[in-house]
Amino acid sequence: MLADKLARAITYATKKHEGQVRKVDGAPYIVHPYRVAMLLKEEGYDDDIVIAGLLHDVVEDTDGTIGEISNLFGHQIAQLVSVATEPDKTKPWVERKKHTIKHLVEAPLEARLVVCADKIDNLRSIIENEQALGVDIWKHFNSSKEDQQWYYQEIYKSLKTNLSSTSTPALFMQLEQLIDQFK
């Protein structure tokens, strides 16, 4: 029955993100949550984590709510999505990012995995688009490349806080490699 839950989540996320596009390349926005979910699935994580990856931007970027996600997909998925959601997008970029960095230090590993997969896909997109567009990419962002570099480095530090060095998830290592490439 978990496959049914995943199928329902795909439909739900697709409907919620309908008409949205990625800000740099204009690709349908849903491509991003799909890639995040696929990263988590490829690493062998359970369906609740994969579904949270698929739904991670619903509350932040659509009219979906944590309550709705909880009702449709369960409390655990809603909790994971909640950790990955910026609480107030009206606040300045730096303030929102500092909140996320601080918040992740105490987050459960499952939520950190969702955030890590999100950051991997975002960073891959930035690197690909920067190679294609050069410095023009940065006119699409509310921050500079240097600010983005700072953000991803700090996110990585928060993700790794309080984790054993012998149990660092492969996703974290992928993110570290992308950050090094982005520098």
Side-chain angles (χ1 to χ4, degrees):
M1 296 309 125
L2 285 177
D4 291 342
K5 191 175 182 180
L6 181 56
R8 286 188 299 108
I10 290 169
T11 301
Y12 175 78
T14 302
K15 286 180 181 176
K16 287 296 183 180
H17 289 293
E18 188 173 2
Q20 295 177 340
V21 295
R22 297 284 280 179
K23 63 181 156 190
V24 176
D25 62 10
Y29 190 83
I30 193 62
V31 170
H32 169 62
Y34 284 167
R35 289 189 302 228
V36 170
M38 285 190 305
L39 270 170
L40 294 163
K41 189 72 167 169
E42 287 169 1
E43 291 297 318
Y45 293 109
D46 71 38
D47 279 357
D48 279 359
I49 294 172
V50 172
I51 290 168
L54 183 63
L55 303 179
H56 79 275
D57 276 339
V58 165
V59 175
E60 197 170 303
D61 294 335
T62 78
D63 63 355
T65 66
I66 293 296
E68 182 176 65
I69 290 171
S70 183
N71 288 337
L72 293 171
F73 302 104
H75 179 72
Q76 176 167 335
I77 291 171
Q79 286 297 108
L80 297 175
V81 170
S82 180
V83 171
T85 301
E86 287 185 349
D88 186 353
K89 286 192 77 166
T90 64
K91 291 188 177 185
W93 185 87
V94 172
E95 189 175 334
R96 293 189 333 259
K97 301 312 176 192
K98 283 182 178 179
H99 173 273
T100 300
I101 291 162
K102 182 179 177 189
H103 189 62
L104 281 176
V105 171
E106 301 299 325
L109 177 59
E110 295 84 359
R112 293 181 196 202
L113 292 166
V114 171
V115 171
C116 185
D118 171 39
K119 301 312 174 205
I120 287 170
D121 188 64
N122 282 337
L123 204 45
R124 283 179 179 164
S125 293
I126 289 170
I127 291 167
E128 288 170 13
N129 286 317
E130 187 176 40
Q131 289 171 345
L133 300 172
V135 296
D136 285 346
I137 185 181
W138 299 107
K139 66 183 175 190
H140 297 279
F141 288 86
N142 296 323
S143 60
S144 67
K145 181 176 182 175
E146 293 75 21
D147 287 342
Q148 290 284 335
Q149 289 169 327
W150 162 82
Y151 175 58
Y152 282 101
Q153 289 169 356
E154 293 302 311
I155 282 288
Y156 179 71
K157 289 177 192 173
S158 290
L159 289 171
K160 287 195 65 169
T161 298
N162 299 326
L163 291 183
S164 157
S165 62
T166 59
S167 65
T168 301
L171 281 177
F172 289 16
M173 291 181 275
Q174 284 184 48
L175 181 59
E176 182 180 32
Q177 291 169 349
L178 284 167
I179 291 167
D180 288 343
Q181 185 181 344
F182 184 46
K183 287 181 193 174

